[in-house]
């Protein structure tokens, strides 16, 4: 099938979300996310125009207006685009929750469109995680098209700090 071309937006969708907030809201914590042109995942992270996402679990679960107001500091959809996994100790995750259609996701728009999307890499929390993922793209319209799915994989060894070696520092898991 080849790589999706002329991509105007891309998102990663959590499937089989394995945990919830205390109020029962499904929650998927994304720590780092990037889109790359090359299928090998080696290369520069694509620059995006804007960030798009499903609901923020922090805001959805907030018990009052003050709590909801501070959620942006601790759970912003921009955070995963700001950090690589090697900085996970100082990261603030995006706490994703399902949208009105029941999908839990985080993505970006591209203007001009991306000639080809070859790789999506993400790093998720060990507790609030998804068992598998899907990659969806838009190609000039508002329709999301599923182009790939993958099972979640764990870092090797006994540490979550696995993504700190060459060839792409911070992204070799």
């Amino acid at each position: 099938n080849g790589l999706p071309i002329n991509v105007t937006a891309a998102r990663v969708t959590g499937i089989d979300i394995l945990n919830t907030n205390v109020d029962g809201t499904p929650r998927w914590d994304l720590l780092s996310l990037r889109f790359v042109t090359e299928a090998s995942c080696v290369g520069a992270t694509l620059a995006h125009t804007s960030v798009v996402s499903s609901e923020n679990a922090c805001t959805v679960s907030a018990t009052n207006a003050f709590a909801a107001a501070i959620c942006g500091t601790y759970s912003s959809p921009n955070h995963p685009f700001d950090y690589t996994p090697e900085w996970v100790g100082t990261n603030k995750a995006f706490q994703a929750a399902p949208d009105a259609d029941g999908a839990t996701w985080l993505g970006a728009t591209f203007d001009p469109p991306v000639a080809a999307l070859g790789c999506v890499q993400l790093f998720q929390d060990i507790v609030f995680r998804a068992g598998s993922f899907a990659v969806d793209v838009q190609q000039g319209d508002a329709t999301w098209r599923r182009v790939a799915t993958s099972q979640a994989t764990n870092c090797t060894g006994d540490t979550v700090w696995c993504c700190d070696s060459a060839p792409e520092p911070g992204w070799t898991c």
Side-chain angles (χ1 to χ4, degrees):
N1 292 347
L3 303 176
I5 59 171
N6 298 320
V7 175
T8 55
R11 71 180 184 181
V12 61
T13 301
I15 302 170
D16 306 323
I17 295 183
L18 302 173
N19 226 324
T20 64
N21 269 349
V22 293
D23 69 348
T25 302
R27 177 174 154 189
W28 180 33
D29 284 12
L30 286 162
L31 299 165
S32 300
L33 176 63
R34 78 176 189 147
F35 299 101
V36 182
T37 300
E38 296 82 12
S40 66
C41 295
V42 174
T45 300
L46 291 168
H48 58 272
T49 307
S50 63
V51 174
V52 291
S53 68
S54 60
E55 296 295 325
N56 185 329
C58 181
T59 304
V60 170
S61 299
T63 56
N64 58 53
F66 177 74
I70 64 171
C71 280
T73 303
Y74 297 100
S75 175
S76 167
N78 292 302
H79 291 322
F81 292 101
D82 293 338
Y83 302 99
T84 61
E86 65 188 337
W87 294 103
V88 73
T90 57
N91 263 4
K92 295 176 182 148
F94 172 54
Q95 301 170 10
D99 62 14
D101 295 327
T104 304
W105 55 276
L106 180 63
T109 63
F110 306 100
D111 186 16
V114 174
L117 178 64
C119 172
V120 177
Q121 289 181 302
L122 64 91
F123 196 64
Q124 66 177 340
D125 185 79
I126 197 167
V127 175
F128 295 100
R129 61 191 170 92
S132 59
F133 312 94
V135 177
D136 304 322
V137 299
Q138 291 180 351
Q139 296 168 296
D141 60 17
T143 303
W144 288 109
R145 293 170 187 81
R146 182 133 309 158
V147 296
T149 58
S150 177
Q151 292 297 311
T153 57
N154 294 326
C155 297
T156 56
D158 60 357
T159 179
V160 297
W161 309 98
C162 66
C163 301
D164 58 0
S165 60
E168 290 295 308
W171 284 103
T172 53
C173 285

